[in-house]
Amino acid sequence: MDKKQIRRHATLAAASAVLFSLAVPLTASAGTPEPLKWSDCRGTGLDPRQQCATVKVPMDYSDPAGRTIEIAVSRIKSEKPSARRGALLLIPGGPGGDSLADPSGKGQKLPQKVRDTYDLIGFAPRGMAPSTSVDCKLDPADLSMTRLLPWPAPDGSVARNMATARRITAACDRNGGELIRHISTANEARDLDRVRAALGESRISAWGVSYGTYVGAVYRELFPHRTDRIVLDSNDDPDPTRVTRGWLAAFERGVEDNFPVFAAWASRPGNPYRLASTPAEVRSGFLRLAARLDRDPLPWPGATPDRLDGTALRQTMLTNLYDPDDYPVLARTILAARAGTVPPVPESPPESVLQNVAAVSVGTVCNDVDWPESPGAYQRGVHESRVKYPLTAGMPRGPMVCAALPYEPAEPAVRITGRGPSNVLLVQNERDVATPLSGALKLREALGDRAVMVTVDSTGHQAYLSNGNACGDRAVSRFLATGKRPGSDLHCG
């Protein structure tokens, strides 16, 4: 997936407070995978040096002798064998992203010394094609982000969300097979340890981004002495009682952190997409326009859904606050709607990709933590959120599909702790719509002395090598290449 596709689905990211007691038996019984058999990769635009292979892993780690599934992996070897230290896992965001193309893509943005130090390793998490894949066969209309995310009705009602949840979970239960019940962050971490073993590495390094920070944190919790240098970039709150529920709720704070930057840009003199003369007017104008579209939506032929209503406008805002480079898309949508027209239909991945991403997202979000079933609990939260955070209209506290799941998670969420080697570096933008600084500070607190955090005075989702901030990039690159971290938490202005 490219950056746009991953960003489209990253918003899907969003149990018990006890230590994950099943970790030892489930991981110790898995056996040793066979060495990897590398071959040329399929696909276009890949570096000719990139190779691909598959690793067989147990579908159910409590039954290691049972059915196996395949995890697709990719590699570009160290560019200087004499300097090679080991392998660097490129852990994607999501849930529903993959990093198979990343050794050829963002991995090549790494400094030469880092590319000399590591083999770059990408993979498709369990359930994601071309690994053994899942598909819920959802109605195409239910693949829209305005359906998959719990945007309430204009009056704040969650009744439609609950109906959508029942419809989607029924389809996933009917069509997702046994595998969808075994898609979780803990199982992805176990799969990565099988990848590590198949690579022949006693320890492994990682660069996890967005949801991948939680995967990386869970991996180093379950396998602390198999980790080398761990970079966690754009970090999620690891609260084991909420997990993805907490990540969804974080959009309230994330939008409030980021919309003022958009509003300042959209009110700047000379901007061809200028919306108002002051940031305050940009905000009030957006809220008025969303309310107007709630009452009187515009037909939007070819789009999913096929009308530009207040919810579609809010989702457009959320999607395009991920990257300041996308502010013109949001501004053009606002200008068109003001004039009673609609912008061009946004590009979208093929339906087969959307079906796969949706199934993996549903599996992960629902299997990581138990969600309340009572509509009333969500309704109260939505009403409170609409008052305090009008830009997001209550969505972050609404019922995702898991509210109608017909079974409970098989195991409690992993509690992230400060136990183990001190080998983690967090890097975080101050203004991030999807993984706000407030959540990153919670992960920093949970890791304790195991981690150092670099906070970058930047806006957008993903910090390392994304903002041109030399201070932050230098600190992360130095750690990956040499193992040296800042002596204490660092702020990069």
Side-chain angles (χ1 to χ4, degrees), residues 252-261 430-432 436-438:
E252 293 174 337
R253 183 72 264 155
V255 168
E256 291 295 341
D257 288 348
N258 283 261
F259 195 89
V261 183
E430 287 191 354
R431 295 165 297 280
D432 184 327
L437 178 60
S438 54

Side-chain angles (χ1 to χ4, degrees), residues 145-147 149-154 160 290 293-294 305 307-317 393:
M145 291 301 294
T146 56
R147 293 276 183 89
L149 286 176
W151 292 100
R160 184 176 59 187
L293 292 172
D294 280 335
R307 63 182 196 169
L308 180 57
D309 58 11
T311 294
L313 180 68
R314 296 179 188 101
Q315 181 60 54
T316 300
M317 171 200 67

Side-chain angles (χ1 to χ4, degrees), residues 372-382 397:
E373 299 177 5
S374 167
Y378 295 108
Q379 193 66 75
R380 289 188 294 274
V382 166
R397 300 197 207 179

Side-chain angles (χ1 to χ4, degrees), residues 1 64 94 143 159 161 175 195 251 275 406:
M1 277 193 171
L143 295 171
N161 304 121
N175 303 317
V195 170
F251 279 121
L275 300 176

Side-chain angles (χ1 to χ4, degrees), residues 2-192:
D2 62 23
K3 183 178 74 168
K4 298 280 187 183
Q5 292 169 323
I6 290 174
R7 186 163 63 246
R8 174 180 170 85
H9 299 287
T11 55
L12 287 168
S16 172
V18 299
L19 180 64
F20 179 37
S21 61
L22 296 178
V24 174
L26 285 181
T27 56
S29 60
T32 302
E34 297 179 358
L36 294 172
K37 298 178 181 178
W38 297 101
S39 61
D40 292 339
C41 297
R42 296 179 181 179
T44 59
L46 298 176
D47 190 304
R49 297 171 299 168
Q50 181 170 309
Q51 301 171 298
C52 287
T54 58
V55 179
K56 289 188 181 297
V57 303
M59 183 181 68
D60 181 354
Y61 277 89
S62 68
D63 182 19
R67 178 185 165 190
T68 61
I69 58 173
E70 290 188 339
I71 304 298
V73 297
S74 60
R75 174 183 73 175
I76 290 181
K77 298 178 73 173
S78 159
E79 296 180 23
K80 187 177 181 181
S82 63
R84 183 186 182 278
R85 178 181 179 84
L88 179 69
L89 282 172
L90 305 174
I91 307 179
D98 78 82
S99 60
L100 277 177
D102 283 358
S104 296
K106 76 174 191 177
Q108 297 308 303
K109 297 179 181 179
L110 290 163
Q112 185 66 52
K113 192 170 183 181
V114 177
R115 302 200 311 273
D116 291 345
T117 302
Y118 301 103
D119 297 346
L120 305 180
I121 308 296
F123 67 99
R126 59 169 51 210
M128 288 296 303
S131 298
T132 304
S133 63
V134 293
D135 185 336
C136 293
K137 297 181 173 57
L138 301 181
D139 184 297
D142 284 334
L143 295 171
S144 166
M145 291 301 294
T146 56
R147 293 276 183 89
L148 291 170
L149 286 176
W151 292 100
D155 65 356
S157 169
V158 301
R160 184 176 59 187
N161 304 121
M162 293 300 296
T164 300
R166 288 190 290 271
R167 189 170 59 249
I168 290 177
T169 53
C172 288
D173 196 42
R174 182 172 61 249
N175 303 317
E178 188 181 357
L179 176 55
I180 200 167
R181 297 197 179 202
H182 298 283
I183 294 175
S184 69
T185 302
N187 280 338
E188 182 174 335
R190 295 177 184 117
D191 293 343
L192 290 181

Side-chain angles (χ1 to χ4, degrees), residues 9 26 97 130 199 205 260 267 278 284 289 328 350 365 387 400 417 421 427 491:
H9 299 287
L26 285 181
L199 291 168
S205 296
S267 59
T278 69
S284 62
L289 179 61
V365 169
V387 173
M400 288 190 75
T417 73
V427 59
H491 182 269

Side-chain angles (χ1 to χ4, degrees), residues 428-450:
Q428 177 72 33
N429 287 337
E430 287 191 354
R431 295 165 297 280
D432 184 327
V433 71
T435 56
L437 178 60
S438 54
L441 291 171
K442 295 292 187 181
L443 180 58
R444 172 69 186 89
E445 179 183 3
L447 290 169
D449 292 339
R450 297 197 68 178

